[in-house]
């Protein structure tokens, strides 16, 4: 039997960030990205998870094919990103992420999880693996939900 085609997809990309060098400016810019993306993603029924480590970003975007393509088009033309590369694009049966937009910046609280994923050397070489990005995002989402007392997702 031929598998049924779905219009639900996920896209994983990574890029180098063009953000302010000072911590306050960088935090402000990441806040702007988050606010803008939440609005647009909610309107487009997109769920996503953005990982930020040093001057690199990786994001998983989930949604209907057209919405994901439109969202990626905006990201690709955004001057805050450069060297944008698709790591994986595939059809999915169901979403894995629950929020329209989550940003996880490596910091002392989540450092152990980022360290275990060991993405930085892959980013620096320009060869991040989709599985590593995906695993890190899933682990950070699970950790966040656990802290909120949520032990299982019914997505």
């Amino acid at each position: 039997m031929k598998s049924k085609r779905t219009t639900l997809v996920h896209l994983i990309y990574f890029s180098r960030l063009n953000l302010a060098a000072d911590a306050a400016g960088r935090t402000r810019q990441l806040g702007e990205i988050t606010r803008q993306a939440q609005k647009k993603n909610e309107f487009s029924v997109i769920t996503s998870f953005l990982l930020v480590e040093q001057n690199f970003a990786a994001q998983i975007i989930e949604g209907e094919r057209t919405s994901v393509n439109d969202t990626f088009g905006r990201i690709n033309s955004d001057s805050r990103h450069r060297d944008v590369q698709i790591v994986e694009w595939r059809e999915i049966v169901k979403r894995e992420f629950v929020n329209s937009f989550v940003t996880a910046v490596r910091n002392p609280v989540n450092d152990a999880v980022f360290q275990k994923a060991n993405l930085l050397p892959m980013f620096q070489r320009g060869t991040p693996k989709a599985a590593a990005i995906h695993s890190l995002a899933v682990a950070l989402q699970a950790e966040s939900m656990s802290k909120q007392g949520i032990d299982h997702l019914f997505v």
Side-chain angles (χ1 to χ4, degrees):
M1 184 171 170
K2 197 173 185 182
S3 65
K4 185 180 176 192
R5 225 180 135 140
T6 177
T7 60
L8 195 61
V9 299
H10 94 174
L11 180 145
I12 301 176
Y13 76 87
F14 92 102
S15 69
R16 296 177 187 274
L17 293 171
N18 287 323
L19 299 178
D22 65 292
R26 184 179 172 87
T27 299
R28 183 182 43 73
Q29 288 174 310
L30 285 170
E32 288 169 8
I33 290 170
T34 299
R35 281 188 298 283
Q36 291 169 359
Q38 279 176 328
K39 279 183 189 175
K40 289 179 179 176
N41 286 2
E42 286 171 6
F43 180 77
S44 300
V45 194
I46 295 283
T47 50
S48 69
F49 203 100
L50 176 69
L51 302 164
V52 178
E53 184 166 11
Q54 290 186 7
N55 285 327
F56 297 98
Q59 185 174 19
I60 302 169
I61 306 168
E62 302 173 322
E64 295 297 320
R65 185 183 319 273
T66 304
S67 295
V68 169
N69 289 342
D70 292 346
T71 298
F72 181 71
R74 281 193 306 275
I75 292 164
N76 198 29
S77 63
D78 187 327
S79 64
R80 295 171 294 196
H81 293 275
R82 65 182 168 83
D83 303 330
V84 181
Q85 294 180 37
I86 294 175
V87 178
E88 180 177 78
W89 183 98
R90 67 178 169 90
E91 292 181 350
I92 56 175
V93 176
K94 66 178 185 171
R95 296 172 191 261
E96 292 186 84
F97 298 96
V98 292
N99 295 309
S100 62
F101 191 85
V102 172
T103 305
V105 179
R106 187 171 185 168
N107 61 48
V109 173
N110 62 25
D111 186 65
V113 181
F114 268 87
Q115 192 171 3
K116 184 177 177 185
N118 200 28
L119 278 173
L120 187 58
M122 290 185 242
F123 286 152
Q124 291 167 332
R125 287 190 308 268
T127 59
K129 304 289 183 239
I133 293 166
H134 182 265
S135 294
L136 176 57
V138 167
L140 289 166
Q141 177 176 260
E143 185 177 273
S144 172
M145 300 199 82
S146 176
K147 287 178 182 175
Q148 297 172 49
I150 302 168
D151 63 355
H152 186 74
L153 277 182
F154 296 97
V155 182

